[in-house]
Amino acid sequence: MRAPIAVLCVFLVIFCQEAFCSFSPPSSKSREYYAKFKNIIAAKSKPLVNLQANGLKQDGRVFYPIGYGADPTGAKDSSAAILNALADAFKVSSGLELLRGVHDLGGAVIDLQGASYKIDHPIRLPAQGGGNVV
């Protein structure tokens, strides 16, 4: 929701500068800038995927806390969901060891999707250990 507001603000600034400073209607140049800016914002802003709706918790070695019930808005506690995603990620193993007792998780990823989560409890990595996790 922030990206459309930012785009609108930039467009209004450009429009006001051209309309009130030069006392002329907005030119096609401002429309070009607005279109380019809107395309850049659309390309860089990735909306949060509603994984709870389709129940997707995992995609290969990528684990999504939202699929475990985490609240991406930060309104409710998401500690348990993030811990569950971590626990599942640490169960994945390539069968190799990085060091003695450190299992290679093969690049398992916990994807927080750029959201803001409320955490009421400490987030600790599982005791069984593992490495090669993002």
Side-chain angles (χ1 to χ4, degrees):
M1 196 70 173
R2 288 182 222 159
I5 292 171
V7 171
L8 180 61
C9 290
V10 170
F11 179 74
L12 287 175
V13 168
I14 293 170
F15 177 82
C16 290
Q17 283 177 342
E18 289 190 9
F20 297 113
C21 295
S22 64
F23 299 105
S24 64
S27 68
S28 62
K29 195 79 154 169
S30 66
R31 282 187 226 107
E32 285 177 42
Y33 289 136
Y34 173 71
K36 286 181 184 178
F37 185 74
K38 189 174 176 184
N39 289 339
I40 290 170
I41 293 296
K44 291 191 177 199
S45 62
K46 180 176 89 173
L48 292 174
V49 179
N50 185 3
L51 297 172
Q52 288 174 324
N54 61 11
L56 181 63
K57 293 181 179 182
Q58 175 185 356
D59 184 18
R61 291 188 183 269
V62 180
F63 296 83
Y64 301 98
I66 293 174
Y68 290 83
D71 178 20
T73 64
K76 295 185 288 182
D77 177 38
S78 298
S79 303
I82 293 172
L83 287 170
N84 288 336
L86 273 170
D88 283 355
F90 273 73
K91 290 177 186 172
V92 175
S93 179
S94 65
L96 302 173
E97 287 187 331
L98 298 171
L99 297 170
R100 189 178 318 169
V102 180
H103 301 285
D104 182 9
L105 301 177
V109 175
I110 308 296
D111 189 354
L112 299 175
Q113 297 185 303
S116 297
Y117 297 97
K118 181 178 180 183
I119 306 296
D120 287 340
H121 305 290
I123 303 294
R124 294 189 178 112
L125 298 178
Q128 73 260 26
N132 199 5
V133 64
V134 180

